[in-house]
Amino acid sequence: MTATPAWPPQSAPRLHVETQLGEGIAVPVDGNPAHYLISVMRVKPDDIVLLFDGRSGEWAARARDIRKRDLVLECVAQTKPPEQVPDFWLCCAPIRKGRIDLIAEKACELGVAKLQPVLTRRAVVDKLNLDRLHAHLVEAAEQCGRTALPDLGGMMKLDALLKDWPAGRHLFFADESGGAALDSTLRAHPGPAAFLVGPEGGFDPQERDAIRATPGAVPVSLGPRILRGETAAIAGMAVWMAEAGDWLDAD
Ligand code: SAM
């Protein structure tokens, strides 16, 4: 007996688009995404490409009108409903290019709802290329099967972030000077949350006091060693997802 081929095909390329998707919607594609589909993935007429727009779930679309530099993808069926990620933000100080890109990629893969860059006094980097970070989020979402990108906040000073901290959202603060063990603390503080990680130089004492004084703040330790910012961010996101996020059983 021959096996029925999977539909949509598992090898179908995935692409984030801005056009709102729906039954019969034709999405014109040009530029780099078209180059990727036509020249790299060798998409042929009637081949399936998976699309997501951040609002409408994931759609299987059929390729047509393939030319040298553009093509049209016509939505034929919804393959995933819009995704609900856990209400968890990553607030992190900007760190060097490459390392902050890695944080963006991992935040998207691990299912954070929002990535909020936070400027602190000891930050070595004080500017961020948000377009480049957005491109990393798109690429990670295309690869990992997310149907919506994390929100990407503009750079915010730490005091502004703390001043307007939303009531009811826990602020788990990665404090290299010590705090509660992360896993048991997370279980004791269910609900909307954020994880705050400092820059290469750490938080200064005044910042640490201000964070601790913010309603909802919970200082947490990530163990006895000093981790790089990106290691701390990735470890914190993974532990939160395992203890309080969508790594848990559905029941
Ligand atoms: N310059 C700081 C020092 O020597 O103490 C180290 C800063 S560390 C490279 C960057 C950030 O990662 C810290 O601000 C903190 O948020 C987080 N971090 C690193 N290790 C940690 C730990 N063991 N526990 C909690 N947070 C940690």
Side-chain angles (χ1 to χ4, degrees):
M1 198 172 80
T2 48
T4 314
W7 198 94
Q10 280 172 354
S11 57
R14 271 187 110 242
L15 203 63
H16 175 261
V17 293
E18 297 295 336
T19 312
Q20 177 135 20
L21 303 172
E23 180 98 45
I25 297 287
V27 183
V29 181
D30 59 11
N32 286 340
H35 170 76
Y36 166 72
L37 293 177
I38 299 165
S39 305
V40 181
M41 299 305 290
R42 308 257 169 219
V43 164
K44 300 280 176 285
D46 287 335
D47 279 358
I48 292 295
V49 175
L50 298 173
L51 300 179
F52 62 104
D53 62 1
R55 295 154 279 177
S56 319
E58 180 191 83
W59 285 77
R62 242 180 241 297
R64 63 169 166 82
D65 302 344
I66 302 176
R67 301 189 302 181
K68 210 166 171 192
R69 292 196 175 77
D70 55 39
L71 74 165
V72 172
L73 298 170
E74 187 171 326
C75 295
V76 289
Q78 193 182 45
T79 43
K80 281 187 193 171
E83 177 188 20
Q84 290 295 322
V85 290
D87 192 355
F88 180 67
W89 302 352
L90 177 68
C91 302
C92 68
I95 51 174
R96 278 178 239 277
K97 185 174 147 192
R99 294 173 186 266
I100 190 74
D101 298 341
L102 180 78
I103 290 181
E105 179 185 284
K106 300 310 166 203
C108 185
E109 288 179 43
L110 288 166
V112 308
K114 181 173 182 176
L115 175 59
Q116 176 60 62
V118 186
L119 193 57
T120 62
R121 293 203 193 110
R122 291 184 179 164
V124 176
V125 175
D126 62 0
K127 287 191 183 61
L128 272 185
N129 183 336
L130 291 177
D131 290 341
R132 203 188 65 227
L133 274 193
H134 175 78
H136 280 284
L137 294 177
V138 168
E139 204 176 309
E142 288 174 344
Q143 174 271 325
C144 76
R146 268 185 87 144
T147 65
L149 304 178
D151 282 344
L152 176 59
M155 184 94 90
M156 206 176 203
K157 286 191 169 166
L158 179 65
D159 49 5
L161 180 85
L162 299 179
K163 189 168 141 284
D164 290 329
W165 190 252
R169 180 174 297 277
H170 303 301
L171 176 59
F172 296 107
F173 150 50
D175 187 355
E176 66 271 30
S177 69
L182 187 53
D183 57 349
S184 52
T185 309
L186 297 187
R187 282 195 297 271
H189 295 85
F195 191 66
L196 173 63
V197 180
E200 285 92 336
F203 295 104
D204 77 11
Q206 273 174 296
E207 289 176 328
R208 197 169 273 120
D209 289 346
I211 300 167
R212 285 172 180 267
T214 302
V218 186
V220 292
S221 165
L222 297 170
R225 288 165 292 277
I226 301 293
L227 309 178
R228 294 184 107 130
E230 68 274 23
T231 315
I234 295 166
M237 293 187 285
V239 175
W240 191 90
M241 284 295 163
E243 292 293 336
D246 58 9
W247 294 11
L248 298 173
D249 288 337
D251 52 276

